[in-house]
Amino acid sequence: MGDLRRRRGSKPLLATFVDSTRHLPSSLLTLNRHSRVWGVGTTVPAQSVWHVRAVAVVLFVCNAVLFFLANEARLEGNVTWVVQLALFVIQLDYFLAWRHARTHDNFDNCVKARARTVQLLEDGGREDLAKKVDEEIVQAISKSRCLTDNLLVIGLGAPAAWLVLCKGNPARAIAVQVCFAILDHCNNMSCFGWSMLCQLHALQIQMFHDELSVAFTDLAEATTGEEETRESGRESGTLTRILSSGELLESTEFFSEEWVLKMSVGFVDICKTLGLTTTHVGNFKGLDILLMIATAGLFGLHMLLGATTWESLIIVGLLLYFSIANIMEPLAANNELKKVRALSWECYGELVSHSLLFKGADEEDAGASLAYKQVINQAKHLLNIIQTSREGLKVGDQEYSADMVRKILSITFSAAMVILKTSDLSQITGEVKGGGGFTGGVNATWEEVISYLESPSFGSK
């Protein structure tokens, strides 16, 4: 706890921010290079209008090719209209993400948020958290968005292109893979800012929580120590000791008007930046998550009406994974904010106990002085602001929370049970055979599989 203590000599939590794109870490420069290719990188230097138009043409061609190939696959009977609609929703989501990133200067805002967060953490004396910005957050995002996520989507989506959408036609399958890889990488460059902003918010709130926690610990120790001193004084019959103003100021930062003002401004600044992120990114991200869940639902409808296939299951799993991952990122920041609110209640109770401890003392005593009462009221006001504030990363008026994840998983589980009990499982169970055992083959239904699993012959040699 000692290394978290930053006394009144430290700089304010809200420091003057000077935007600078110099001396960026290599991982952020890598993201910038990839992003500038797709027209959403930093505008320093400004990107050519013709470059952006060329990117728009490339994206239009890729979307047109995918739409044409999906339509051909439907006409040939490889997929249903539901799958074609699901692919169109994915393409629409990708285009909207690129357009949103262009409109809101996605990369520029991330560069500013990174520099601002590093400055705030360093000015607050938290060099350990400041190092995490580049060494952990930016580096991990650059690796996942520029490499890992692309390989994951392309690798798991390949069976759908080669075995279902364009089966029997390698040229079409390659075209689907190339176009989808381009669109997916462009989408990663459009949406990586959400991950970065959420994690930067979490670090800022963590620093605020740690500083409040240090002050609360000091306050609890000071209150307990004074109570013990007064109790021993009453037992020995000596006069009750009253702390001087200097002793109060040394006992905890809650009695420093400068510190209380600094924390008040810092928390208001946290709420303001959370609101800006919600307005400019969070609301769109809610639409992005909704479109991915809708696409997963369409693939589920396809399996319900047709056949349950490994390819469809993989795609649904991938869509749900990215949907939940996009919710977990703001959830971490909101959880940090909930910890601050919970701690503020404890601080408020301890502050009330301390003020009651000095109630009734003579006016000339430092503990009952006007200055003491004033700073106590200011500290209570700060804690009230924290307790009543409902700012957080939201989609509309709904705060990102664990309930969203639970609802998605609950609906998914219920839908999976319906699909498995009513859909044709021939694509999955077609390879299951055994002498004297299961003989349903490619025409197997869910009832036949259940009947075989419950029969004595299952598991026997």
Side-chain angles (χ1 to χ4, degrees):
M1 188 67 73
D3 59 344
L4 298 179
R5 298 179 185 276
R6 296 167 301 283
R7 295 299 177 184
R8 282 154 289 280
S10 63
K11 298 180 181 179
L13 288 175
L14 183 61
T16 303
F17 168 67
V18 180
D19 179 26
S20 175
T21 56
R22 297 176 297 175
H23 310 299
L24 295 178
S26 58
S27 53
L28 194 57
L29 292 175
T30 299
L31 274 172
N32 184 34
R33 286 192 294 269
H34 284 252
S35 299
R36 285 186 67 85
V37 171
W38 301 112
V40 293
T42 178
T43 55
V44 182
Q47 291 184 281
S48 168
V49 175
W50 291 105
H51 177 94
V52 176
R53 291 177 178 176
V55 171
V57 170
V58 171
L59 298 181
F60 174 80
V61 170
C62 290
N63 280 300
V65 169
L66 285 177
F67 182 83
F68 171 78
L69 293 178
N71 189 61
E72 288 295 311
R74 180 184 60 82
L75 294 176
E76 294 173 0
N78 295 339
V79 297
T80 64
W81 65 269
V82 180
V83 173
Q84 184 180 1
L85 178 60
L87 293 174
F88 176 76
V89 173
I90 294 178
Q91 294 174 232
L92 177 64
D93 183 30
Y94 283 0
F95 172 76
L96 291 177
W98 178 77
R99 183 177 179 275
H100 178 270
R102 285 288 308 162
T103 305
H104 291 83
D105 295 329
N106 177 65
F107 196 91
D108 283 356
N109 288 330
C110 287
V111 171
K112 294 175 182 178
R114 169 208 163 265
R116 184 177 186 278
T117 302
V118 170
Q119 182 176 345
L120 288 174
L121 295 174
E122 289 179 346
D123 289 347
R126 297 304 304 274
E127 287 78 9
D128 56 327
L129 295 181
K131 291 180 180 178
K132 288 185 177 182
V133 174
D134 292 335
E135 295 179 1
E136 296 183 16
I137 295 177
V138 178
Q139 187 173 358
I141 291 174
S142 177
K143 181 180 179 181
S144 63
R145 294 291 180 174
C146 293
L147 180 63
T148 309
D149 287 358
N150 297 280
L151 294 178
L152 179 64
V153 172
I154 294 172
L156 295 181
W162 288 83
L163 303 178
V164 180
L165 194 63
C166 304
K167 60 182 178 182
N169 195 322
R172 289 186 182 180
I174 292 175
V176 169
Q177 282 286 91
V178 172
C179 291
F180 193 77
I182 291 174
L183 293 176
D184 180 68
H185 189 54
C186 178
N187 180 65
N188 278 326
M189 294 303 101
S190 300
C191 298
F192 77 88
W194 177 243
S195 302
M196 186 178 297
L197 290 174
C198 290
Q199 295 183 61
L200 293 179
H201 282 306
L203 284 183
Q204 295 176 26
I205 300 171
Q206 181 182 342
M207 181 183 71
F208 186 92
H209 175 272
D210 290 344
E211 183 147 342
L212 190 63
S213 178
V214 171
F216 168 71
T217 302
D218 290 346
L219 178 63
E221 291 176 353
T223 303
T224 303
E226 185 60 23
E227 287 178 340
E228 292 175 350
T229 301
R230 290 195 173 197
E231 183 65 27
S232 62
R234 282 193 294 269
E235 292 178 355
S236 60
T238 59
L239 293 176
T240 302
R241 185 176 66 90
I242 300 296
L243 294 177
S244 67
S245 58
E247 290 175 316
L248 281 172
L249 200 61
E250 282 297 321
S251 63
T252 175
E253 290 171 318
F254 270 110
F255 303 124
S256 168
E257 186 174 2
E258 179 185 353
W259 180 85
V260 173
L261 177 62
K262 179 184 69 172
M263 294 293 285
S264 301
V265 173
F267 186 77
V268 171
D269 184 57
I270 286 174
C271 294
K272 180 180 178 180
T273 55
L274 287 172
L276 290 174
T277 299
T278 295
T279 301
H280 295 293
V281 187
N283 288 328
F284 170 77
K285 204 60 187 179
L287 175 62
D288 177 45
I289 294 170
L290 180 62
L291 289 175
M292 284 192 288
I293 294 176
T295 305
L298 287 172
F299 275 102
L301 179 61
H302 162 69
M303 290 189 286
L304 183 62
L305 299 177
T308 303
T309 62
W310 286 115
E311 294 80 13
S312 296
L313 290 174
I314 290 174
I315 293 174
V316 170
L318 200 60
L319 289 168
L320 290 176
Y321 165 76
F322 283 118
S323 299
I324 293 175
N326 285 327
I327 295 177
M328 295 302 294
E329 289 167 340
L331 180 60
N334 287 342
N335 285 341
E336 288 291 332
L337 198 57
K338 289 180 180 178
K339 288 169 58 179
V340 172
R341 293 187 186 124
L343 180 59
S344 70
W345 280 103
E346 298 182 25
C347 292
Y348 190 87
E350 196 66 34
L351 205 60
V352 170
S353 299
H354 195 278
S355 60
L356 291 175
L357 189 64
F358 287 95
K359 187 175 182 180
D362 295 334
E363 284 296 323
E364 59 185 20
D365 292 327
S369 66
L370 182 62
Y372 169 79
K373 293 179 180 179
Q374 182 177 358
V375 75
I376 285 290
N377 290 333
Q378 290 175 346
K380 289 179 180 179
H381 180 65
L382 163 65
L383 297 174
N384 283 327
I385 292 176
I386 297 174
Q387 293 161 15
T388 57
S389 171
R390 289 298 174 262
E391 287 294 338
L393 295 175
K394 303 178 181 179
V395 48
D397 295 330
Q398 181 65 39
E399 191 175 273
Y400 285 96
S401 63
D403 288 337
M404 290 185 178
V405 178
R406 284 193 289 266
K407 289 178 181 178
I408 292 174
L409 293 177
S410 176
I411 294 173
T412 302
F413 179 79
S414 301
M417 291 298 100
V418 173
I419 292 172
L420 291 177
K421 290 183 178 180
T422 60
S423 182
D424 178 14
L425 302 178
S426 59
Q427 296 293 327
I428 294 179
T429 61
E431 300 298 325
V432 181
K433 297 180 180 179
F438 179 71
T439 58
V442 296
N443 298 317
T445 63
W446 174 253
E447 288 75 12
E448 291 173 332
V449 175
I450 291 295
S451 177
Y452 169 65
L453 293 177
E454 292 176 349
S455 65
S457 60
F458 174 69
S460 61
K461 297 183 180 180

